[in-house]
Amino acid sequence: MIDYESATSFLDEWGTFQQQVFFLLCLSVVPNGLAGFAIVFVGDTPAHRCLIPAHINLTAAWRNSSIPLEEDGSSGTMVPSQCFRYKIDELLRFSERGLMPGIDVNLSDVSRESCLDGWEYDRSVYTATITTEFDLVCENSWKNPLTSSVYFCGILVASFLSGQISDRYGRKIVLFVTLAVHSLFIFLQVFANSWAVFCALHFVVGMGQISNYVSAFVLGTELLGPRARTIFSTIGVNLFFDVGYMLLPLCAYLLRDWRKLLLCLSLPGFLCLPFWWFIPESPRWLVSQGRVKEAEAIVRDIAKRNKIHPPAVIFHSSEVRFEAKRLNICDLLRSRNILPAVLLTIAYFVLSLNTANLYGDVYFNCFLSALVELPAYILSWVLFRWCSSRLSVSSSLIACGVLLLFVQLIPANLVLLAITLEMMGKFAVSTAYAFVYAYTAELYPTVLRNTAIGACSTASRIGSIIAPYFIYLRRYWTSLPYILMGSLTAVTGLLSLLLPESFGRPLPDTMAQMQHFPGCCQKTPYTVTKTDDENPDERNLQVLNEENKRDPVFQHISS
């Protein structure tokens, strides 16, 4: 196999081309940050109560007493019921006879009924959400978390498929097609006239959301040199995603109607489509597909933009070797590296959705949740640049787990301390989450890199799909979500110690060059060379095996 890093070492590490690609690809993920958690505002449930139609002739006293009081499970105080009212027929009889509620009539003896005339909603925070427009409350309250789950189901399906499509047909075309799909279907949601239509469109939005993000991430990883790649995969892409995330509460604050908000969120994606003419296909991927002439043409164009004179021959034909068969996710699963890796990405989305459940102003809480990720991404770059990848992921996850387990010990009256601990947990898991994408990109070869990241993303969406219902465990015991999330995250941190180490190693291009899960035997995939050499060069595999033997975790397992 061509040593791509050596063959292209004459290119400037941070020339005009690299700077342009870096910032354009980072800008392409800002729409993802804007739309990623839009459901926090689009689907929020404001305070509500049964509607008492204005034409019903009730006295002021009976109209004010038409809603029964119920105990609030979290605070223990008595609050007006959100799903029941006293029977209107009985209230009319009492009102016509001049009886007074609580004096002449014991309200506990009055029959109740559901909200037959609909609900009235508090409009102080939102003008309209899908909850208020489609009445996703009371007997229909199950539809609200399902809306988020449908979105994450779309992400799950796309994570599974888009990576394989990208590995087969190219990173660039998948990036821009899914970017257009993502923006178009957010725009179409503005015209949804029912909850079912909204969910169908929301599913496709989820598919576009993850597909263009992962494709942009992989394309940048393969186009940039080692140092720029580290910055891009840790700080760059995550920082720009977080910028979009922080702009979301600002847009939601200014646009209190869900249709206007979605219309605003659809525009940035369309503005990124002209980037097609400035971002090339990955030459590394083209080489892995045997399309060496196309790859060499792109590399020469990069050299021209950087004002560098390239050598006469960049990729020597005697070195060209490519996979004889098309690889897919089955080859990835057989590598066994994916088994521990898929566990690392679950906690982030569970925590992100749970932070929407914090006390206080919803706009400020969302901004705070996004803001805490900024230093996390900076820390992830520092760790990725100078520290062990495996130990960095493990320590971040264990720290998150411990912090979440401590949240349950905080007294109920110390709300700010509980929020602080949860935000520290979000900081730790965001560090690990940013790290995981870059780590996964370094573990898996070019021929399966997009599929590998998509597979890890698929696993994380399983947690995301469960998360909306996971939060409802608070109804049974307030501490239960924190105990489960803390335990899961801490155990995942311990399991991550079994992953291979990628720190200081070049990106693998073939399955043979990929590092393997300690203790697992691997078969070298059959390859073909253009020089009729039918035996693959196993030197890289032997070197990696020797390095694994020096790994302390490998030695411990072997012993």
Side-chain angles (χ1 to χ4, degrees), residues 2-4 7-8 283 287 292 295-296 299 313-317 319-320:
I2 289 175
D3 185 348
Y4 182 87
T8 58
V287 168
V292 180
E296 186 161 325
V299 172
V313 179
I314 299 175
F315 302 120
H316 295 278
S317 59
E319 296 178 347
V320 178

Side-chain angles (χ1 to χ4, degrees), residues 21 74 90 96 169 314 453 457 502:
V21 166
S74 59
E90 295 187 19
E96 291 170 355
Y169 299 106
I314 299 175
I453 294 179
S457 181
S502 66

Side-chain angles (χ1 to χ4, degrees), residues 231-294:
I231 300 174
F232 172 82
S233 59
T234 51
I235 291 184
V237 69
N238 291 304
L239 189 64
F240 278 73
F241 178 91
D242 201 45
V243 168
Y245 189 6
M246 287 191 293
L247 289 174
L248 171 62
L250 175 62
C251 295
Y253 181 80
L254 297 175
L255 303 170
R256 304 296 182 98
D257 183 273
W258 70 273
R259 295 182 189 274
K260 294 179 181 178
L261 176 60
L262 288 180
L263 181 61
C264 174
L265 299 184
S266 68
L267 297 179
F270 290 118
L271 296 177
C272 293
L273 294 179
F275 295 172
W276 169 276
W277 286 277
F278 302 97
I279 300 175
E281 181 56 270
S282 166
R284 185 188 290 267
W285 174 80
L286 290 171
V287 168
S288 73
Q289 302 299 304
R291 296 161 60 178
V292 180
K293 290 184 178 179
E294 296 175 58

Side-chain angles (χ1 to χ4, degrees), residues 65-291:
S65 302
S66 59
I67 305 298
L69 297 179
E70 296 178 346
E71 184 178 353
D72 184 9
S74 59
S75 64
T77 58
M78 300 301 291
V79 296
S81 174
Q82 295 184 331
C83 299
F84 295 98
R85 68 186 184 185
Y86 292 120
K87 280 193 172 181
I88 297 298
D89 293 341
E90 295 187 19
L91 297 185
L92 281 172
R93 288 199 305 269
F94 297 143
S95 180
E96 291 170 355
R97 291 167 58 185
L99 302 178
M100 295 299 293
I103 299 176
D104 302 312
V105 178
N106 186 353
L107 292 176
S108 61
D109 297 331
V110 181
S111 301
R112 301 182 182 188
E113 63 183 3
S114 59
C115 301
L116 302 179
D117 297 300
W119 292 262
E120 56 178 328
Y121 297 92
D122 178 15
R123 306 287 180 177
S124 62
V125 179
Y126 305 103
T127 304
T129 68
I130 61 169
T131 303
T132 64
E133 184 152 337
F134 304 133
D135 289 330
L136 307 183
V137 293
C138 298
E139 63 269 15
N140 289 322
S141 60
W142 59 272
K143 293 181 179 179
N144 200 309
L146 183 59
T147 306
S148 297
S149 294
V150 167
Y151 171 78
F152 287 118
C153 282
I155 292 181
L156 185 148
V157 171
S159 297
F160 184 79
L161 296 177
S162 65
Q164 299 182 70
I165 295 173
S166 178
D167 281 332
R168 177 161 295 192
Y169 299 106
R171 284 68 162 112
K172 179 180 176 178
I173 188 170
V174 172
L175 167 61
F176 286 98
V177 168
T178 55
L179 182 61
V181 168
H182 181 241
S183 302
L184 175 62
F185 277 79
I186 292 177
F187 176 76
L188 293 178
Q189 282 183 297
V190 174
F191 305 100
N193 57 2
S194 69
W195 174 76
V197 172
F198 181 88
C199 284
L201 296 171
H202 209 38
F203 180 86
V204 182
V205 170
M207 293 184 68
Q209 169 84 8
I210 191 61
S211 299
N212 72 279
Y213 180 87
V214 171
S215 296
F217 183 90
V218 173
L219 185 57
T221 300
E222 295 180 351
L223 280 173
L224 299 171
R227 292 186 179 180
R229 178 193 310 142
T230 299
I231 300 174
F232 172 82
S233 59
T234 51
I235 291 184
V237 69
N238 291 304
L239 189 64
F240 278 73
F241 178 91
D242 201 45
V243 168
Y245 189 6
M246 287 191 293
L247 289 174
L248 171 62
L250 175 62
C251 295
Y253 181 80
L254 297 175
L255 303 170
R256 304 296 182 98
D257 183 273
W258 70 273
R259 295 182 189 274
K260 294 179 181 178
L261 176 60
L262 288 180
L263 181 61
C264 174
L265 299 184
S266 68
L267 297 179
F270 290 118
L271 296 177
C272 293
L273 294 179
F275 295 172
W276 169 276
W277 286 277
F278 302 97
I279 300 175
E281 181 56 270
S282 166
R284 185 188 290 267
W285 174 80
L286 290 171
V287 168
S288 73
Q289 302 299 304
R291 296 161 60 178

